[in-house]
Amino acid sequence: MLERLTPFLWLLFSAGGTVAALLFPAHLLLTGLAFPLGWLEPPSHEVLLTLLRHPLTRLYVLALISLPLFHGAHRFRYTLYDGLQLKHLTALIAALCYGAALAGTALAAQALWSIPG
Amino acid sequence: MSSAARYTPYHPRWHRRRVSVWWWLEKGSYTVFVLRELTSVAVAFFAVVTLGLVRAVAAGPEAYQRFLARLGTPLFLSLHVVAFLFVLFHAITWFNLAPKAMVVRIKGKRVPDAIVAGLNYGAWLVLSGAVAFFLLRG
């Protein structure tokens, strides 16, 4: 089954890698450093809620979370194989990596669509 | 199975050189490769932080304030400094590989690598500006 999914997993890997490369530096610099360190004023709860009420923003945020999760899962899977030489645990590692990405996607979708429209 | 194949019950000993788990420290290019592969951890980490942010916003203003306060703790700040460096490394290696991963041809002629990579960097700049615009205007 893993074999048949492989082309699709590589597709998710490159989509997620592109999303992470284009958007994560800006989001991380703002949310992770500039806001908590007080360099810039974080957006108010109201502003974020207004943004998230728009269906396009919800799709954007879902893609922003889900695709990089699959990218990370895929790359980390191969890091474990090559770096730690865990080739004999293929099925277990794949299940844990992609399972975590799926769970994150479900949690994101649930939160996004729980926001009243 | 053809009957011609006969297997002995004794497994032959493979000649395999043992490779240390630290093989990637032997050469600079190997180390860069493994560091690039490890950017996956930083990418997944920040995806989870973003998930936490969205869940906090959905849960209400108090949850959002608590989440912001948690981002200001030394633990999260130091994690984010490291994650930012790794995410930058991911972005730069990703854009530089883009021309090799996707060869673009116009009228049968291959578009030079520098232009394809340049377009990626341009898109990065524009999208980063758009993210900042939406998060900073209010």
Side-chain angles (χ1 to χ4, degrees):
Chain A
M1 166 149 120
L2 196 58
E3 234 109 283
R4 264 192 297 149
L5 279 175
T6 300
F8 180 64
L9 293 170
W10 277 104
L11 188 72
L12 284 177
F13 166 78
S14 36
T18 306
V19 168
L22 288 172
L23 298 164
F24 269 24
H27 275 287
L28 213 170
L29 189 61
L30 288 172
T31 309
L33 296 169
F35 296 151
L37 288 172
W39 300 342
L40 293 163
E41 192 64 27
S44 69
H45 182 259
E46 236 181 272
V47 166
L48 287 184
L49 206 57
T50 314
L51 275 173
L52 286 175
R53 284 212 174 98
H54 200 289
L56 276 182
T57 325
R58 289 183 199 191
L59 276 181
Y60 169 81
V61 174
L62 187 64
L64 188 72
I65 293 170
S66 176
L67 292 174
L69 276 181
F70 277 100
H71 165 87
H74 194 65
R75 196 170 232 181
F76 190 60
R77 184 188 146 199
Y78 286 106
T79 309
L80 289 182
Y81 291 175
D82 298 329
L84 298 178
Q85 303 170 7
L86 297 175
K87 289 193 169 66
H88 54 292
L89 295 175
T90 304
L92 178 70
I93 290 172
L96 287 178
C97 286
Y98 302 122
L102 269 178
T105 304
L107 285 173
Q110 190 242 328
L112 284 166
W113 271 270
S114 77
I115 297 168
Chain B
M1 268 296 160
S2 75
S3 56
R6 282 184 179 264
Y7 295 103
T8 60
Y10 304 104
H11 199 278
R13 239 174 240 266
W14 303 120
H15 176 70
R16 249 184 221 163
R17 201 165 59 88
R18 279 218 161 263
V19 179
S20 149
V21 170
W22 305 103
W23 58 268
W24 47 279
L25 287 175
E26 282 165 22
K27 219 168 130 180
S29 57
Y30 297 166
T31 311
V32 169
F33 164 74
V34 167
L35 283 180
R36 199 191 67 202
E37 294 302 285
L38 282 177
T39 60
S40 59
V41 178
V43 166
F45 168 71
F46 187 65
V48 171
V49 170
T50 309
L51 172 62
L53 173 70
V54 169
R55 292 188 73 82
V57 172
E62 297 85 23
Y64 176 58
Q65 285 311 320
R66 273 201 304 277
F67 186 80
L68 285 185
R70 195 176 312 155
L71 290 185
T73 56
L75 173 68
F76 270 92
L77 285 173
S78 38
L79 283 173
H80 279 144
V81 169
V82 177
F84 181 65
L85 294 176
F86 269 102
V87 165
L88 266 190
F89 187 55
H90 163 71
I92 291 163
T93 51
W94 195 261
F95 297 142
N96 289 348
L97 267 178
K100 289 174 180 66
M102 200 173 57
V103 173
V104 184
R105 285 173 203 281
I106 293 176
K107 289 181 187 164
K109 265 185 149 179
R110 184 173 170 173
V111 176
D113 285 6
I115 293 183
V116 177
L119 286 173
N120 276 281
Y121 281 101
W124 187 23
L125 211 68
V126 170
L127 288 171
S128 299
V131 168
F133 171 77
F134 278 107
L135 289 178
L136 294 175
R137 65 179 174 166

